PDB file of all heavy atoms in Angstrom:
ATOM      1  N   THR A 309      58.645  92.889  56.822  1.00  0.00           N
ATOM      2  CA  THR A 309      59.396  94.083  57.254  1.00  0.00           C
ATOM      3  C   THR A 309      60.773  93.992  56.610  1.00  0.00           C
ATOM      4  O   THR A 309      61.202  92.914  56.169  1.00  0.00           O
ATOM      5  CB  THR A 309      59.564  94.110  58.779  1.00  0.00           C
ATOM      6  OG1 THR A 309      60.354  92.987  59.187  1.00  0.00           O
ATOM      7  CG2 THR A 309      58.243  94.097  59.493  1.00  0.00           C
ATOM      8  N   ARG A 310      61.469  95.085  56.546  1.00  0.00           N
ATOM      9  CA  ARG A 310      62.848  95.049  55.969  1.00  0.00           C
ATOM     10  C   ARG A 310      63.698  94.130  56.770  1.00  0.00           C
ATOM     11  O   ARG A 310      64.546  93.399  56.187  1.00  0.00           O
ATOM     12  CB  ARG A 310      63.427  96.485  55.953  1.00  0.00           C
ATOM     13  CG  ARG A 310      64.896  96.526  55.428  1.00  0.00           C
ATOM     14  CD  ARG A 310      64.984  96.107  54.007  1.00  0.00           C
ATOM     15  NE  ARG A 310      66.356  95.982  53.530  1.00  0.00           N
ATOM     16  CZ  ARG A 310      67.125  94.890  53.574  1.00  0.00           C
ATOM     17  NH1 ARG A 310      66.588  93.761  54.086  1.00  0.00           N
ATOM     18  NH2 ARG A 310      68.320  94.875  53.129  1.00  0.00           N
ATOM     19  N   GLU A 311      63.537  94.114  58.100  1.00  0.00           N
ATOM     20  CA  GLU A 311      64.384  93.230  58.936  1.00  0.00           C
ATOM     21  C   GLU A 311      64.195  91.754  58.688  1.00  0.00           C
ATOM     22  O   GLU A 311      65.085  90.971  58.884  1.00  0.00           O
ATOM     23  CB  GLU A 311      64.113  93.558  60.425  1.00  0.00           C
ATOM     24  CG  GLU A 311      64.530  94.949  60.883  1.00  0.00           C
ATOM     25  CD  GLU A 311      63.672  96.071  60.348  1.00  0.00           C
ATOM     26  OE1 GLU A 311      62.492  95.796  60.028  1.00  0.00           O
ATOM     27  OE2 GLU A 311      64.189  97.195  60.257  1.00  0.00           O
ATOM     28  N   ASP A 312      62.970  91.388  58.217  1.00  0.00           N
ATOM     29  CA  ASP A 312      62.702  90.002  57.928  1.00  0.00           C
ATOM     30  C   ASP A 312      63.129  89.576  56.534  1.00  0.00           C
ATOM     31  O   ASP A 312      63.094  88.356  56.210  1.00  0.00           O
ATOM     32  CB  ASP A 312      61.182  89.726  58.080  1.00  0.00           C
ATOM     33  CG  ASP A 312      60.750  89.696  59.503  1.00  0.00           C
ATOM     34  OD1 ASP A 312      61.623  89.440  60.393  1.00  0.00           O
ATOM     35  OD2 ASP A 312      59.542  89.919  59.809  1.00  0.00           O
ATOM     36  N   LEU A 313      63.542  90.538  55.744  1.00  0.00           N
ATOM     37  CA  LEU A 313      64.009  90.199  54.382  1.00  0.00           C
ATOM     38  C   LEU A 313      65.504  90.055  54.329  1.00  0.00           C
ATOM     39  O   LEU A 313      66.217  90.662  55.144  1.00  0.00           O
ATOM     40  CB  LEU A 313      63.567  91.277  53.402  1.00  0.00           C
ATOM     41  CG  LEU A 313      62.045  91.344  53.159  1.00  0.00           C
ATOM     42  CD1 LEU A 313      61.696  92.639  52.330  1.00  0.00           C
ATOM     43  CD2 LEU A 313      61.517  90.115  52.427  1.00  0.00           C
ATOM     44  N   PHE A 314      65.970  89.306  53.348  1.00  0.00           N
ATOM     45  CA  PHE A 314      67.383  89.119  53.130  1.00  0.00           C
ATOM     46  C   PHE A 314      67.632  89.470  51.610  1.00  0.00           C
ATOM     47  O   PHE A 314      67.265  88.723  50.752  1.00  0.00           O
ATOM     48  CB  PHE A 314      67.818  87.694  53.447  1.00  0.00           C
ATOM     49  CG  PHE A 314      69.321  87.484  53.472  1.00  0.00           C
ATOM     50  CD1 PHE A 314      69.970  87.440  54.674  1.00  0.00           C
ATOM     51  CD2 PHE A 314      70.021  87.326  52.310  1.00  0.00           C
ATOM     52  CE1 PHE A 314      71.344  87.221  54.749  1.00  0.00           C
ATOM     53  CE2 PHE A 314      71.394  87.111  52.348  1.00  0.00           C
ATOM     54  CZ  PHE A 314      72.060  87.073  53.597  1.00  0.00           C
ATOM     55  N   ILE A 315      68.247  90.614  51.358  1.00  0.00           N
ATOM     56  CA  ILE A 315      68.423  91.109  50.016  1.00  0.00           C
ATOM     57  C   ILE A 315      69.875  90.977  49.576  1.00  0.00           C
ATOM     58  O   ILE A 315      70.810  91.523  50.249  1.00  0.00           O
ATOM     59  CB  ILE A 315      67.995  92.595  49.884  1.00  0.00           C
ATOM     60  CG1 ILE A 315      66.588  92.799  50.463  1.00  0.00           C
ATOM     61  CG2 ILE A 315      68.117  93.046  48.457  1.00  0.00           C
ATOM     62  CD1 ILE A 315      65.519  92.050  49.728  1.00  0.00           C
ATOM     63  N   THR A 316      70.082  90.280  48.464  1.00  0.00           N
ATOM     64  CA  THR A 316      71.407  90.072  47.902  1.00  0.00           C
ATOM     65  C   THR A 316      71.542  90.804  46.573  1.00  0.00           C
ATOM     66  O   THR A 316      70.629  90.760  45.750  1.00  0.00           O
ATOM     67  CB  THR A 316      71.679  88.558  47.656  1.00  0.00           C
ATOM     68  OG1 THR A 316      71.589  87.859  48.843  1.00  0.00           O
ATOM     69  CG2 THR A 316      73.062  88.355  47.036  1.00  0.00           C
ATOM     70  N   THR A 317      72.687  91.454  46.359  1.00  0.00           N
ATOM     71  CA  THR A 317      72.979  91.997  45.033  1.00  0.00           C
ATOM     72  C   THR A 317      74.490  91.786  44.783  1.00  0.00           C
ATOM     73  O   THR A 317      75.205  91.298  45.639  1.00  0.00           O
ATOM     74  CB  THR A 317      72.586  93.495  44.870  1.00  0.00           C
ATOM     75  OG1 THR A 317      72.637  93.777  43.447  1.00  0.00           O
ATOM     76  CG2 THR A 317      73.438  94.419  45.662  1.00  0.00           C
ATOM     77  N   LYS A 318      74.917  92.099  43.580  1.00  0.00           N
ATOM     78  CA  LYS A 318      76.278  91.698  43.149  1.00  0.00           C
ATOM     79  C   LYS A 318      76.952  92.826  42.382  1.00  0.00           C
ATOM     80  O   LYS A 318      76.306  93.555  41.632  1.00  0.00           O
ATOM     81  CB  LYS A 318      76.222  90.442  42.286  1.00  0.00           C
ATOM     82  CG  LYS A 318      75.409  89.309  42.868  1.00  0.00           C
ATOM     83  CD  LYS A 318      75.314  88.132  41.927  1.00  0.00           C
ATOM     84  CE  LYS A 318      74.260  87.129  42.382  1.00  0.00           C
ATOM     85  NZ  LYS A 318      72.877  87.561  42.111  1.00  0.00           N
ATOM     86  N   VAL A 319      78.264  92.886  42.563  1.00  0.00           N
ATOM     87  CA  VAL A 319      79.108  93.838  41.827  1.00  0.00           C
ATOM     88  C   VAL A 319      79.576  93.182  40.529  1.00  0.00           C
ATOM     89  O   VAL A 319      80.142  92.091  40.549  1.00  0.00           O
ATOM     90  CB  VAL A 319      80.338  94.276  42.699  1.00  0.00           C
ATOM     91  CG1 VAL A 319      81.260  95.180  41.901  1.00  0.00           C
ATOM     92  CG2 VAL A 319      79.833  94.927  43.968  1.00  0.00           C
ATOM     93  N   TRP A 320      79.349  93.902  39.423  1.00  0.00           N
ATOM     94  CA  TRP A 320      79.718  93.339  38.095  1.00  0.00           C
ATOM     95  C   TRP A 320      81.200  93.560  37.774  1.00  0.00           C
ATOM     96  O   TRP A 320      81.854  94.413  38.349  1.00  0.00           O
ATOM     97  CB  TRP A 320      78.815  93.909  37.062  1.00  0.00           C
ATOM     98  CG  TRP A 320      79.014  93.240  35.701  1.00  0.00           C
ATOM     99  CD1 TRP A 320      79.491  93.804  34.556  1.00  0.00           C
ATOM    100  CD2 TRP A 320      78.846  91.835  35.399  1.00  0.00           C
ATOM    101  NE1 TRP A 320      79.584  92.856  33.554  1.00  0.00           N
ATOM    102  CE2 TRP A 320      79.211  91.633  34.078  1.00  0.00           C
ATOM    103  CE3 TRP A 320      78.383  90.754  36.142  1.00  0.00           C
ATOM    104  CZ2 TRP A 320      79.138  90.440  33.425  1.00  0.00           C
ATOM    105  CZ3 TRP A 320      78.297  89.500  35.521  1.00  0.00           C
ATOM    106  CH2 TRP A 320      78.665  89.364  34.176  1.00  0.00           C
TER     107      TRP A 320
END
Side-chain angles (χ1 to χ4, degrees):
T309 64
R310 176 64 186 92
E311 293 72 24
D312 286 337
L313 292 171
F314 192 100
I315 307 299
T316 300
T317 193
K318 310 177 192 77
V319 175
W320 187 244

